[in-house]
Amino acid sequence: MENSSIIKIEKLVKRFPVGKTEFTALNDISVSFGAGEFAGLVGPSGSGKTTLLNIMGSLDSPSEGDVDVLGRSVSSLSHKQSAKLRNHHIGFIFQTYNLLPVYTVYENVEFALLLQKLSGSERKKAVMDSLEWVGLTDKVKSRPSMLSGGECQRVAIARSMVKRPEIVLADEPTANLDSKNSHNILQTMKNLNRELKTTFIFATHDEKVMQYLNRIIFLEDGKIVKDNLINDSKN
Amino acid sequence: MIKFLIKGILRDKSRSLLPVIVVATGVFLTVFMSGFLKGIFNDIAELNAKFNTGHVKIMTRAYAENKDQVPNDLALMDVKKLLSQLKIDYPDMEWVKRIHTGGLIDVPDSFGETRGQGQTIVTAIDMLSPGTHEVERMNIKKSIAKGSLPVKQGEALISDEFAERFGVSLGDKVTLFGSTMNGSMMFNIFVVSGTLRFGNTILDRGAIFMDIRDAQLALDMDDAASEILGYFKVGVYDDIKAQQLQASFNTKYSLKDDEFSPQMFRLVEQEGLGDYLKLANSAGTIMVFIFVIAMSIVLWNTGLLGGLRRYSEFGVRLALGEEKKHIYKTTIYEAMLIGIIGSVIGTGMGLGAAYYMQTYGLDVSSITSNIGMMLPSVYRAEVTPSLFYLGFFPGVIATVLGSALAGFAIYKRKTSQLFHELEV
Ligand SMILES: Nc1ncnc2c1ncn2[C@@H]1O[C@H](COP(=O)(O)OP(=O)(O)OP(=O)(O)O)[C@@H](O)[C@H]1O
Ligand SMILES: [Mg+2]
C-alpha cells in the first residue's frame, strides 16, 4: 500500500487567521492514500474534514508540513499548476451538486473538458460514456432545474468522472439526498471505483456512506484519532 | 469556450437582459443626441450663413475690423472685376454682393410733411437680376406679411411692425435718409411693395430690404459693396474646403500692408460660431462622458449582483481546474460581448431616431408664434458617419469598466475563500 500511495501527507498543519489570532483547523496530520481506495473522513462538524479535502484538492495550501498529490508537492505549485492538477487529475463532488443552472446536463459535464485541448468528437465520446456510467443518457438536454436531487448528484458524478481523474474528492455527497438516492449514487461510485480504479475520498457523517467505505479515518479537533481499514465492505 | 460563454449570456436573461438594456439605452441617447446636436448646430450655422456670414465672406481688412459700425467708407471697390475673377478661380462657389447700412425712414403725410420717423437697418441684396438665389436664400417670400416682392427698381420691403406703427400702406412712398460712401448726406424715395416679418426684435422694429442696384446708386457705391459672400454650390458648409479656399484667396488677393485689400473669413470665424461649434462638440463629449460614468456605475452594480449570484459557478469552475485569472478574463469577455450587443442595438435605435429627425425634423413653428425668417422653424438631426461607431465607445467601455470593477472584488478573494462561500 505504502509504495503505491497517490496522496502522501506528513505533519500537515493548517491555521486560519481569525481576527488577530489564528485558529488551528488541522493539527499534525500524517496520512497516505493508495490508488483505488474508497476512503472516508468522518468526524463531528468543525473537525476539519472539508479543510483536509480542499488541501488535497489544492484549493487551499498547507500552513506547515508536506502534502504530496500524484508526486507533486501541493505547497510548491503555482496557481496555474494547481489549476492544471485539478483539471486533469482530481474530480470534486459537493453536497449541493453545484451544477451550472443555465447549461444542459450534457454541457455541465462537457465543461470540465473545455479547458483541455480535446477534439469535439473526443469530448462527445467522453461525455456520453460518463453519462452512461451514471445512467442519464436520456437526460442530456435537460436543465438541472428539471432534475431530481438524485439525478443532479449523478450529473455531478459524471462531471467529476468525465476526465477520468485518479482521485475524486466528495464532500458530504449524500447530505441532501433521501436514503434510496443515497444508496443509488454510492453504488454508482463504488462501481466506478472498482472498474476504473479511481480513488474516492469522502468527507461525511452519514452512516449510509460508511457502510460502503473500505477505510474510515476519524477526525476530531483537527487530529486523526482513528484510522480503520474495513476489509469486508458491503459489495 | 467562447461558444460556451455566449450560450450562458443568451440563456441567463438576468445576466444579459438588464445590462443590454442599460447599454442600449445609453448608446441610443448618445447616438441620437449627438446627431440632433450636430443637426441643430448645422441648422443654426446655415441660417447664419444665409443671412449674415456666408460660407465664406470677403470684406476689406479695415471694414472687417470695424464691422459693427457698418463703415461703408471702407467698403470693397472694383467689385465687378473681383466677382468675375472669383467665378473663374472658384467655380464651385456661388458669389453674391451685399450692402448694409443704417439710416432713418421718414413717412410723409398727404401734404408731404413728416408723419413719422424711425431708425432703420438697410439690407441690399440682388433681388432683381434673373436667376438670383438671394430671395430664396433669405426666405423672403415666406416672410412676407403683406404685399409682394419688389419687381422693379425703386421698390422696397419694410418691416411689418414698422409699417403698422406709422400706418404705411402698400404702394405708399417712404424716404430713406442716410450718408453715402463718401460721407455726404443722401436721401432716396422708395415705394413700399410689401412688408416683412423677421422674428428678430431689432429688424422688426425697423428694417428695409431693397435691391442692391438701388442701394449702390443711392449710396454712391456704383462698383462697391459692403461684402461679398460665397456659398458652396453643394449647399452645406465644409470647413476643410473653406480653409483651402481661404488660404488660396488670401494669398492671391490680400495684401498685408494695404488695409483696403480684400480678405476672406470663414463661417466659423464669424459671429462666435466657432465657439458655438466648440461648445456643441464639448457638450457632446461631456454627454458621452456622463453616460459612460452613469452606465458604468449601473453595470458595476448589476455586475456585483450577477457576480454574487455566480459565486457557485466560479467556485465550480475553480474546482474543475480553471484558473482564477481565466475566470476573470472570461467575465470581461462576457462584458465585451454584452457591450457590443447593447451598442449594436442602441446604435441601431439611435440611428433610426436620428434618421427620422433628419427626415421629418422637430417642427417648432407652432410653438414660436412668430414665424420669421431669422428662426429655423424645423430642427433636424443629422446622420453623420461618426454616429455609426460613436456609441460603441460608451457602450463597450462602460460594460467592461463596470464588470472589471465588479470582477475585481471576486478576483481579489482567495481561491479557498471563494470555494468556501460556494458551499454555504
Ligand atoms: N477560511 C476559514 N477561515 C477561518 N476558519 C475556517 C476557515 N475554513 C474553515 N475554518 C474553520 O476550521 C474548522 C474546520 O472546518 P471544516 O469546514 O474543515 O469542518 P468540517 O469538518 O468540514 O465540518 P462540517 O461537518 O460542518 O462540514 C472549523 O472550525 C471552521 O470554522
Ligand atoms: Mg465540511
Side-chain angles (χ1 to χ4, degrees):
Chain A
M1 186 72 74
E2 272 305 310
N3 46 1
S4 68
S5 60
I6 55 173
I7 298 177
K8 213 188 294 175
I9 299 172
E10 263 171 61
K11 299 203 170 74
L12 165 66
V13 178
K14 178 66 185 176
R15 297 187 203 94
F16 291 111
V18 179
K20 279 195 178 131
T21 60
E22 283 186 325
F23 174 81
T24 307
L26 295 173
N27 196 358
D28 196 23
I29 301 271
S30 294
V31 64
S32 299
F33 295 91
E37 281 202 49
F38 205 72
L41 308 171
V42 175
S45 185
S47 56
K49 304 183 291 290
T50 299
T51 307
L52 185 53
L53 276 191
N54 285 352
I55 290 174
M56 290 193 280
S58 82
L59 284 165
D60 213 341
S61 50
S63 307
E64 277 174 35
D66 297 322
V67 176
D68 196 286
V69 177
L70 295 165
R72 297 166 183 79
S73 169
V74 165
S75 46
S76 67
L77 294 179
S78 67
H79 275 299
K80 200 180 181 125
Q81 287 166 325
S82 67
K84 196 168 173 199
L85 174 68
R86 289 195 294 275
N87 188 219
H88 288 267
H89 305 289
I90 303 172
F92 288 87
I93 297 170
F94 314 97
Q95 174 180 342
T96 51
Y97 328 132
N98 286 316
L99 301 178
L100 307 180
V102 297
Y103 297 104
T104 63
V105 164
Y106 183 93
E107 288 159 350
N108 263 284
V109 177
E110 187 188 21
F111 184 82
L113 296 179
L114 287 177
L115 299 162
Q116 300 181 0
K117 289 182 179 58
L118 288 178
S119 73
S121 56
E122 282 172 308
R123 275 209 305 270
K124 180 155 192 188
K125 177 158 190 325
V127 173
M128 291 313 289
D129 281 352
S130 141
L131 283 170
E132 199 168 329
W133 294 330
V134 298
L136 279 176
T137 42
D138 53 335
K139 301 271 183 185
V140 280
K141 292 219 168 78
S142 304
R143 297 276 187 87
S145 58
M146 301 186 267
L147 302 179
S148 72
E151 285 169 330
C152 282
Q153 198 58 301
R154 284 181 355 208
V155 176
I157 294 170
R159 179 176 63 187
S160 73
M161 291 301 300
V162 70
K163 56 198 177 188
R164 309 271 186 125
E166 283 87 340
I167 303 160
V168 170
L169 303 173
D171 198 349
E172 318 264 11
T174 55
N176 283 4
L177 297 178
D178 61 21
S179 153
K180 188 165 158 271
N181 273 308
S182 298
H183 283 293
N184 191 322
I185 68 134
L186 282 162
Q187 196 57 58
T188 305
M189 288 192 272
K190 187 87 200 175
N191 293 342
L192 288 166
N193 166 252
R194 284 215 189 103
E195 283 166 34
L196 303 170
K197 298 282 170 280
T198 313
T199 303
F200 279 78
I201 303 173
F202 294 85
T204 187
H205 23 223
D206 185 352
E207 293 286 341
K208 295 187 288 298
V209 177
M210 295 181 219
Q211 295 170 26
Y212 288 81
L213 300 176
N214 55 26
R215 180 180 178 191
I216 299 179
I217 296 159
F218 292 94
L219 283 179
E220 245 178 71
D221 290 335
K223 283 192 166 153
I224 295 178
V225 291
K226 241 194 290 177
D227 188 346
N228 288 355
L229 284 178
I230 300 136
N231 290 324
D232 200 18
S233 71
K234 187 175 176 179
N235 40 0
Chain B
M1 196 65 173
I2 295 290
K3 212 170 106 194
F4 199 78
L5 294 175
I6 293 175
K7 268 187 210 161
I9 290 173
L10 294 181
R11 289 188 199 156
D12 189 354
K13 292 286 183 295
S14 60
R15 193 190 308 177
S16 52
L17 199 62
L18 184 62
V20 166
I21 289 173
V22 171
V23 173
T25 310
V27 169
F28 164 75
L29 288 173
T30 308
V31 170
F32 176 65
M33 293 303 283
S34 307
F36 206 39
L37 265 180
K38 189 87 203 316
I40 287 174
F41 172 75
N42 281 357
D43 287 340
I44 290 172
E46 285 301 328
L47 200 75
N48 261 286
K50 283 174 180 159
F51 278 92
N52 183 0
T53 62
H55 287 147
V56 292
K57 183 191 274 191
I58 301 166
M59 301 171 268
T60 67
R61 199 191 295 275
Y63 183 97
E65 272 161 23
N66 304 291
K67 198 172 152 291
D68 295 341
Q69 300 155 26
V70 243
N72 274 325
D73 51 329
L74 306 173
L76 290 164
M77 308 291 285
D78 288 331
V79 170
K80 263 188 209 126
K81 203 177 117 205
L82 182 58
L83 274 174
S84 57
Q85 195 59 45
L86 283 171
K87 270 174 201 149
I88 296 164
D89 287 353
Y90 311 110
D92 292 346
M93 306 290 291
E94 185 180 332
W95 300 99
V96 297
K97 54 186 184 234
R98 288 185 188 170
I99 291 177
H100 303 285
T101 188
L104 216 62
I105 289 183
D106 183 283
V107 185
D109 63 13
S110 51
F111 307 104
E113 299 290 327
T114 296
R115 192 173 67 202
Q117 253 182 8
Q119 290 225 334
T120 186
I121 293 163
V122 181
T123 305
I125 60 172
D126 182 0
M127 286 189 184
L128 296 173
S129 65
T132 178
H133 293 131
E134 288 280 87
V135 172
E136 195 187 311
R137 183 170 289 132
M138 300 193 82
N139 200 18
I140 290 178
K141 269 192 194 132
K142 283 209 181 113
S143 318
I144 287 181
K146 295 192 201 84
S148 58
L149 282 169
V151 290
K152 58 175 188 291
Q153 226 80 69
E155 291 186 339
L157 295 159
I158 61 170
S159 56
D160 194 53
E161 211 182 296
F162 184 91
E164 298 250 304
R165 185 145 48 96
F166 295 106
V168 181
S169 325
L170 299 180
D172 282 359
K173 284 184 178 138
V174 293
T175 312
L176 173 68
F177 289 95
S179 61
T180 68
M181 186 175 176
N182 310 313
S184 48
M185 163 91 171
M186 84 76 185
F187 72 92
N188 217 309
I189 297 169
F190 290 93
V191 175
V192 176
S193 71
T195 61
L196 288 173
R197 202 177 288 140
F198 297 95
N200 169 302
T201 329
I202 298 168
L203 287 178
D204 277 326
R205 201 172 294 153
I208 181 162
F209 268 63
M210 63 182 69
D211 184 60
I212 185 122
R213 200 65 211 128
D214 279 334
Q216 283 179 323
L217 291 174
L219 300 171
D220 252 349
M221 293 176 73
D222 193 23
D223 195 19
S226 308
E227 57 199 28
I228 290 175
L229 304 184
Y231 292 94
F232 290 106
K233 281 185 179 160
V234 288
V236 282
Y237 178 70
D238 179 338
D239 197 48
I240 293 167
K241 281 197 189 135
Q243 283 179 40
Q244 291 164 354
L245 183 65
Q246 181 184 35
S248 145
F249 177 89
N250 285 345
T251 331
K252 186 167 175 192
Y253 294 94
S254 191
L255 305 169
K256 269 231 160 64
D257 40 5
D258 179 3
E259 60 168 353
F260 292 104
S261 77
Q263 190 157 19
M264 187 179 280
F265 299 87
R266 286 174 290 134
L267 168 70
V268 292
E269 290 172 324
Q270 304 174 54
E271 309 294 333
L273 283 174
D275 292 340
Y276 186 66
L277 177 67
K278 267 187 215 135
L279 191 76
N281 281 342
S282 55
T285 314
I286 290 169
M287 195 177 66
V288 168
F289 193 69
I290 290 172
F291 280 143
V292 168
I293 291 180
M295 284 194 291
S296 301
I297 291 172
V298 174
L299 292 167
W300 176 13
N301 284 296
T302 54
L304 275 179
L305 288 178
L308 288 175
R309 256 178 2 93
R310 290 173 71 191
Y311 264 8
S312 82
E313 176 188 333
F314 296 148
V316 170
R317 285 165 64 176
L318 281 172
L320 289 175
E322 198 172 343
E323 268 185 273
K324 205 162 54 164
K325 221 184 341 185
H326 190 262
I327 293 176
Y328 187 55
K329 250 197 302 195
T330 58
T331 57
I332 302 283
Y333 289 155
E334 276 184 27
M336 268 174 173
L337 266 167
I338 285 172
I340 289 168
I341 293 170
S343 299
V344 167
I345 295 172
T347 301
M349 294 194 317
L351 280 173
Y355 186 74
Y356 179 88
M357 287 305 270
Q358 178 176 267
T359 318
Y360 299 102
L362 178 67
D363 193 341
V364 293
S365 59
S366 54
I367 305 167
T368 52
S369 52
N370 266 336
I371 310 160
M373 60 178 169
M374 296 297 284
L375 287 174
S377 56
V378 179
Y379 287 100
R380 290 176 196 282
E382 190 188 346
V383 176
T384 55
S386 66
L387 293 191
F388 284 83
Y389 59 78
L390 191 89
F392 282 78
F393 295 109
V396 176
I397 290 172
T399 33
V400 170
L401 200 64
S403 69
L405 286 171
F408 201 62
I410 296 164
Y411 188 59
K412 282 195 62 177
R413 250 170 241 252
K414 275 197 173 155
T415 306
S416 57
Q417 209 175 342
L418 254 180
F419 200 69
H420 209 74
E421 278 160 62
L422 117 100
E423 286 187 283
V424 263

